[in-house]
Amino acid sequence: MKLSTRLVLLILGCLLPILTAQVYSQVNLYAERHGLLSGLVLRQAELANADMASILDATREVGILAAQFPEIQGGTPGCADRLTALRRGLAPYRFLAVVAPASGTVVCASAGAPLGLTESHGQWLDDMLAAHDLAIGPLVSEPDQDGGFVPIGVPVTGSGPNARPLLVVAALSTDWLARHLESGMVDHASPMARTALTVTDRKGAVIAQVPDPDPAAAKVLPDWLKPLVGRARQGVETLTDPDGHTLVAAFVPAAAAPAGVAVIDSLPLPAMTTDIDQAAFQDLLVIGGAAIVAVILAWVAGRRFIYRPTQALLQAARKWREGDLSARASISDAGSEFVALSQSFNAMAAGLQAREMERRLQSSFLEAQVAERTRELSETNNRLQVEIAGREKTETALHQAQKLQAVGQLAGGIAHDFNNMLATVLGNLELMERRVPQPGKPWTDSDAEKLQRLIERATGAVQRGGALTSRLLAFSRRQRLAARPTDINALLQELITLASSTLGRRVQVTAELHEALWPAMVDPSQVEAAILNLCLNARDAMPEGGRLTINTGNVTIEPFGTQPGSHGDLTPGHYVQVAISDTGVGMTPEVRARAFDPFFTTKGPGAGSGLGLSQVYGMARQSGGGVMIDSESGKGTCVTLYLPRAHATEAAVTEAPPDLALPTPGSPRELVLVVDDDSAVRQVTVEMARDLGCDVAQASGGEQAMAMVDQLPAPPKLILLDYAMPGMNGLQLARELRERGITAPIALVTGYAELLDADIAAGQLAGLLRKPFTIRELHALLAQLRAAANGTGASCLEPGLIEG
């Protein structure tokens, strides 16, 4: 492409922003005009709608006024004359009529009413009789009259003692309405003079049109405009008619006040843009002429002052590119600015010619150095790849060994503790079997006492097993917490009294409780167990005695590490801090690193299970807080609990549930449905329920339970379901029973840990009982279900009992 051509394109490029700005200005002007005229069109439609509302309000006043005349109220012969006299002062109305709503007959009508109105008034009057407020009827056209009328019904009641309800019908003249709307149209702006204003009823029949091309013809709104009548609110839309003409239509639908009348005002789009198009055409002519002159001048100057000198430089540069650095650029025009440029290029070519020789000498030397360095880097990279692969294998083997060690330690601890408990249960059961009454052997009080002790030892072993399971769940953070706002200071004051007697006289207990301590959102029983566990650990760490200090305080963890000090992995927020410090032997760094591991203990055999700190850690993390240990060998230990702050203004007062007395043999019996796939557990549950005064129906699974419900003489009053059953689990069975119409309270009796709040809500459960359980716990659950059935208790589990 020649340089002169480039200059022409440069000139056109400079003119392009001007053209773009002109187009942008025209587009903005068009959009502004479109928005302005759209607003004017909508305003004109709103004014016409306001006129219609005023006309209807005036019609209502006419109806109320007419009802005040005795002859109209009583339907006497002077009624028609009174209506005629009243109508003479009201130009908008074709006639006035009074109708009896009860019979639908026309009582009287003024002059100008259609012939035969009293005998046959048409469907429009029947529609008005069904309305209880001012109603607008459809457009009525009269063959012998120009135009038509719109009936407006006003139900009224006179003020006299014998007043009766009447329907005053005022026939609004469409000719008068068209003239009235035309007088109120905006006609001072030339585009607005071309608007078309149309008033229709709710079915699209045209009541009035301005301007009206054919006043004598009855008209219906075109199909492409009818949707505007049924819109929910007023607005402006751009539409295209069947002939392809675009127009802006502003509408106030029939649903707006006054209801039953729609107003549409339309303006052809070309009327909005005529002056804009003329101005744009003139501007383009001026810009185009200037562009042509600029292009011609640029082409002539470019040929003379730029193209010829540039060609000389390009020929020299072409030879330099081909390797001939001895070529030089020669320009004969002494007055051209390209002379200095050609001299600089010639000097540059001479310098390049000299440096080319130096470059060739250095190139061979650099190539040898690069080859040697590349070989060294390749050897180093190969060694690194081998070392990385070996390290990955070593880390994988180490992680696997650590996992196996932790699982082995956990399994060994569980097996050891459960075997001890099972041995205790089995031994006591065998001894009970030998001590039960035998045929021919007398039974003494001593035998009863021995049997009672055996039962107590077996029961204690089972309870220890349940406590071990609870600790494992707390460590794994799957234990169910009934979190609620709790006053930690009040809980500690009761616990310190218990701990002082339990820890012994050699341990001095000191409490430093914060006066304005926040309430904590925790399970009080779990926190109490955790703190008591920490106190017992502190006592064992001080065999010669010492001082135990319990501190409380409020702590705020700021985001982005702005809080001084380290708080582990706690998330930013507000916490209640409980610190238990002792002056015992402390921990070595190795012991402190494994303090939260399950079944890890430094105590002797039988002195501890190794789950105490694991349970504390699990409870704190599941509650939304954390726990930290600060200890040094020989200098004591401080364990700090961080519990989440409750948003309640006062801590909830925790009270122990009442100890319900077991029922007497004469208690009223009720039918209880027990479903459990484990026959031993089911039989125990059934016998307990019978001892508690209940009639029991039992099933081993969901399908058997569904079949049994249909065969029972009466629906069960209470339902106890196991969760983990083959086929249909307890929650699925609960939903099936609800779909069958069973409304009895349902409780889940389970040892399963992972239950979600969504599952509990879907089953519409009224209670939850954890295995293993005692007969008193079952009695408390049945009492809770009875309260739910009677409407005096909660219909579902309280929030926070199950954690998702």
Side-chain angles (χ1 to χ4, degrees), residues 151-497:
I152 304 173
V154 182
V156 295
T157 301
S159 58
N162 299 321
R164 55 179 181 142
L166 299 174
L167 177 67
V168 177
V169 177
L172 180 65
S173 173
T174 57
D175 293 338
W176 179 91
L177 180 60
R179 293 191 301 272
H180 177 75
L181 294 176
E182 185 175 7
S183 64
M185 288 184 62
V186 178
D187 57 357
H188 57 274
S190 57
M192 294 301 296
R194 301 185 60 184
T195 58
L197 180 64
T198 305
V199 179
T200 71
D201 60 13
R202 59 169 53 89
K203 296 182 179 179
V206 176
I207 298 174
Q209 190 171 12
V210 179
D212 193 350
D214 188 4
K219 293 174 285 296
V220 179
L221 201 64
D223 293 339
W224 56 278
L225 279 177
K226 279 187 178 179
L228 302 181
V229 177
R231 297 293 170 82
R233 57 178 61 87
Q234 66 184 34
V236 181
E237 291 190 7
T238 302
L239 304 175
T240 303
D241 64 8
D243 296 332
H245 301 144
T246 304
L247 52 85
V248 176
F251 58 91
V252 179
V261 176
V263 178
I264 300 176
D265 193 17
S266 59
L267 174 65
L269 198 59
M272 302 169 59
T273 61
T274 300
D275 54 348
I276 302 176
D277 295 339
Q278 292 176 353
F281 181 72
Q282 294 174 358
D283 293 343
L284 290 176
L285 285 178
V286 173
I287 295 173
I292 293 174
V293 173
V295 168
I296 294 174
L297 293 176
W299 186 83
V300 173
R303 291 285 298 179
R304 173 68 179 81
F305 300 107
I306 299 177
Y307 176 72
R308 292 174 184 175
T310 303
Q311 283 296 108
L313 289 174
L314 289 176
Q315 290 176 2
R318 188 179 301 110
K319 293 180 180 180
W320 295 336
R321 185 177 65 249
E322 294 172 355
D324 184 8
L325 295 177
S326 62
R328 298 293 181 265
S330 176
I331 298 177
S332 58
D333 190 359
S336 174
E337 291 83 357
F338 284 89
V339 173
L341 182 61
S342 64
Q343 293 174 354
S344 298
F345 278 175
N346 291 334
M348 179 187 65
L352 290 175
Q353 190 175 12
R355 292 192 183 107
E356 177 65 17
M357 296 302 296
E358 296 178 3
R359 187 192 63 79
R360 290 178 180 177
L361 293 175
Q362 293 178 355
S363 176
S364 58
F365 176 73
L366 291 175
E367 287 178 356
Q369 285 186 331
V370 169
E372 178 65 20
R373 186 59 178 166
T374 301
R375 183 185 60 80
E376 294 176 357
L377 290 175
S378 178
E379 293 177 355
T380 303
N381 183 58
N382 292 336
R383 288 195 301 270
L384 288 176
Q385 293 295 331
V386 173
E387 292 177 0
I388 290 172
R391 179 172 295 181
E392 290 178 351
K393 292 181 180 179
T394 303
E395 289 178 353
T396 302
L398 179 60
H399 291 165
Q400 186 66 20
Q402 290 175 344
K403 291 179 182 178
L404 292 176
Q405 180 182 5
V407 171
Q409 183 179 6
L410 181 63
I414 295 174
H416 174 268
D417 284 1
F418 266 103
N419 284 335
N420 287 341
M421 298 168 192
L422 292 176
T424 302
V425 174
L426 180 61
N428 283 282
L429 289 176
E430 289 181 345
L431 291 174
M432 282 188 282
E433 183 181 10
R434 295 173 59 87
R435 283 168 173 75
V436 295
Q438 302 293 335
K441 181 180 178 181
W443 181 260
T444 64
D445 293 341
S446 176
D447 294 331
E449 293 176 357
K450 293 177 181 179
L451 186 61
Q452 182 65 30
R453 286 196 298 272
L454 295 176
I455 293 174
E456 291 175 354
R457 286 200 292 268
T459 302
V462 173
Q463 292 174 347
R464 289 195 300 275
L468 177 59
T469 303
S470 176
R471 292 178 181 178
L472 290 173
L473 291 176
F475 169 72
S476 63
R477 283 180 277 172
R478 298 182 184 274
Q479 190 178 25
R480 308 308 173 188
L481 300 180
R484 56 181 178 271
T486 303
D487 186 351
I488 298 299
N489 280 347
L491 185 145
L492 285 174
Q493 289 172 354
E494 297 179 1
L495 186 61
I496 289 172
T497 304

